[in-house]
Amino acid sequence: MTLIQFLAIGLTILILLKTISDFKKNRINLLAFLFWTGLWSSVIIVAALPQITMPLAKISGLERGIDVVVYFAIVFIFFLLFKIIAKLEKIEYEITQIVRKNALQKQNNRPQKKI
Amino acid sequence: MTKLIVIIPAYNEAKTIGNVIQGVKKYTDNIIVIDDGSKDNTYQTALQSGAKVYRHQINRGLGGALGTGIEAALLNDGDIIVTLDADGQHNPNEIPNLIKPIIKGKADIVIGSRFLKNQSMPFFRRLGNYFFNLMTFIFFGIYTTDSQSGMRAFNKKVAQNLKIYTNKMEVSSEIIKQVRANQFRLKETHIKAIYTPYSLAKGQGFFVGLKTLGKLLILKLTQ
Ligand SMILES: Nc1nc2c(ncn2[C@@H]2O[C@H](COP(=O)(O)OP(=O)(O)OP(=O)(O)O)[C@@H](O)[C@H]2O)c(=O)[nH]1
Ligand SMILES: [Mg+2]
């Protein structure tokens, strides 16, 4: 086993442990737990036995199966990024709603002119 | 009687807001200013000029300010609502022409367009505006000659049904998006584009344009 494999497996196991502890503490729901456990477990398997990605190489026409895995990882990161941005937008919207409510209420409390 | 309310979103516009309010007063006393968390005297100036002022505790951007303005206009029983900028880029004397199609019942929403007649505008602004007209069309399926105009008028029905989710400059395109979703009758009237050194210095540049485009893409993908 190479050093990089060793590091990758070690790190992923830590992340997996964190996922399990998050689930135990009810921070994530069952669906998220299953998804992340599945994902990180497969990362560990691929890191330990890279040759099992060989069939992927055949199907995709790429030279090494691990390349396919890396490509998918990049796509997945973009997907996550998109999710985060969408969530940020939602939070921004919610902040605006609070600020708006406040502005409208304050106006009612200290009446200026009637229009 | 139909009640006309003019909404003026303002962010750090103490220098110009007084004049804008005076100009609007010829047409209505029902003036609502949304002070979008300004750091200057916008709030006091607007109040002294005789507007009803709502103040955002923190800056939310044009979309946030317009949303508050529309809600305030409904709370104040407006029948026809006009929006115009606080930086002096819009001429209040164009209000009667802008609301005419609504009074006559020929349109639900009227956009004041700077591109219906030939007039001078800095080249890159013109280019930017064409670009956003095109993007608004590609994303939301309606072509207007001035999708980014801040001067518009609409009736109560539109005010009640507009759901504004965006916070910043992308709100102009979002409103056009909703025109289509709600099947509002849209008209455009000619307005003058006033470019003073003040408004040019304060106005929006290339990077805001990029951000706005990004936000429109998110809006397109998430809804
Ligand atoms: N820039 C900016 N304007 C705001 C904000 N909130 C409200 N506004 C008001 O929105 C109006 C339009 O803002 P401008 O920055 O002039 O944008 P614009 O007129 O679309 O762009 P230009 O053609 O470059 O002037 C003005 O009346 C501002 O005071 C904000 O957070 N930022
Ligand atoms: Mg401006």
Side-chain angles (χ1 to χ4, degrees):
Chain A
M1 207 188 283
T2 63
L3 180 65
I4 186 82
Q5 277 177 298
F6 196 72
L7 280 177
I9 293 172
L11 249 160
T12 315
I13 287 178
L14 283 183
I15 299 175
L16 194 58
L17 288 178
K18 168 91 171 91
T19 309
I20 293 170
S21 113
D22 274 355
F23 180 61
K24 273 198 185 146
K25 289 180 191 154
N26 265 332
R27 288 204 191 125
I28 53 175
N29 61 25
L30 181 65
L31 206 67
F33 171 70
L34 290 178
F35 172 78
W36 288 110
T37 317
L39 185 88
W40 297 123
S41 309
S42 35
V43 169
I44 294 175
I45 295 172
V46 169
L49 311 160
Q51 57 284 11
I52 68 160
T53 60
M54 278 301 278
L56 284 179
K58 274 220 188 95
I59 301 168
S60 65
L62 290 170
E63 233 166 75
R64 297 184 310 168
I66 193 75
D67 289 349
V68 180
V69 175
V70 172
Y71 290 158
F72 271 104
I74 292 174
V75 170
F76 180 66
I77 289 171
F78 269 103
F79 170 74
L80 274 193
L81 204 61
F82 173 73
K83 278 290 192 199
I84 291 173
I85 293 173
K87 181 129 199 180
L88 268 181
E89 279 296 289
K90 189 168 165 258
I91 293 173
E92 289 267 354
Y93 172 68
E94 285 165 354
I95 294 175
T96 298
Q97 282 190 310
I98 295 173
V99 172
R100 174 169 302 151
K101 206 167 172 193
N102 205 295
L104 293 170
Q105 264 171 5
K106 271 213 176 129
Q107 239 293 345
N108 289 342
N109 291 346
R110 88 176 107 82
Q112 303 171 9
K113 58 178 258 178
K114 182 116 187 75
I115 68 170
Chain B
M1 262 296 280
T2 50
K3 182 171 180 180
L4 170 67
I5 294 186
V6 174
I7 311 175
I8 310 175
Y11 180 55
N12 294 340
E13 310 277 16
K15 283 207 187 82
T16 48
I17 187 105
N19 266 335
V20 174
I21 292 171
Q22 291 314 323
V24 172
K25 272 192 181 161
K26 270 183 263 172
Y27 304 100
T28 179
D29 280 329
N30 308 325
I31 303 171
I32 291 178
V33 169
I34 311 302
D35 170 16
D36 193 19
S38 300
K39 292 170 186 71
D40 64 2
N41 279 329
T42 298
Y43 182 84
Q44 284 78 12
T45 313
L47 210 59
Q48 279 157 17
S49 307
K52 187 162 188 172
V53 191
Y54 292 80
R55 183 173 170 75
H56 278 177
Q57 264 176 331
I58 52 172
N59 178 246
R60 298 311 297 150
L62 178 62
L66 276 179
T68 303
I70 293 171
E71 226 167 274
L74 286 172
L75 287 174
N76 288 284
D77 301 313
D79 296 306
I80 297 182
I81 294 149
V82 167
T83 71
L84 55 84
D85 284 359
D87 58 358
Q89 281 192 297
H90 298 135
N91 181 354
N93 295 334
E94 292 177 316
I95 291 175
N97 202 25
L98 192 74
I99 62 178
K100 207 185 287 162
I102 296 176
I103 292 178
K104 284 190 179 160
K106 293 219 166 94
D108 298 312
I109 176 165
V110 180
I111 295 180
S113 168
R114 298 163 289 179
F115 299 99
L116 285 178
K117 290 182 191 163
N118 254 335
Q119 57 180 329
S120 81
M121 180 184 288
F123 176 73
F124 279 105
R125 306 248 148 191
R126 186 179 295 270
L127 199 69
N129 276 300
Y130 282 141
F131 177 72
F132 271 101
N133 293 346
L134 191 68
M135 293 320 285
T136 304
F137 174 67
I138 292 173
F139 285 167
F140 307 127
I142 290 196
Y143 190 82
T144 55
T145 61
D146 195 357
S147 60
Q148 304 305 302
S149 174
M151 189 165 188
R152 37 178 115 65
F154 43 86
N155 61 20
K156 199 176 201 157
K157 185 179 97 188
V158 173
Q160 285 164 336
N161 289 294
L162 268 186
K163 301 259 178 312
I164 294 182
Y165 289 106
T166 60
N167 283 307
K168 305 210 156 88
M169 293 302 167
E170 61 280 5
V171 68
S172 305
S173 293
E174 187 187 19
I175 290 177
I176 290 175
K177 169 188 183 217
Q178 301 220 355
V179 166
R180 169 154 181 167
N182 293 289
Q183 310 235 315
F184 298 137
R185 291 166 303 155
L186 172 78
K187 265 206 161 63
E188 297 181 302
T189 61
H190 162 78
I191 61 167
K192 261 202 230 80
I194 306 173
Y195 280 94
T196 59
Y198 171 82
S199 79
L200 276 176
K202 268 204 84 235
Q204 307 305 316
F206 180 71
F207 288 103
V208 172
L210 272 189
K211 264 195 210 159
T212 304
L213 185 63
K215 293 280 171 100
L216 285 182
L217 190 65
I218 306 267
L219 183 68
K220 175 73 190 168
L221 292 177
T222 52
Q223 284 186 20

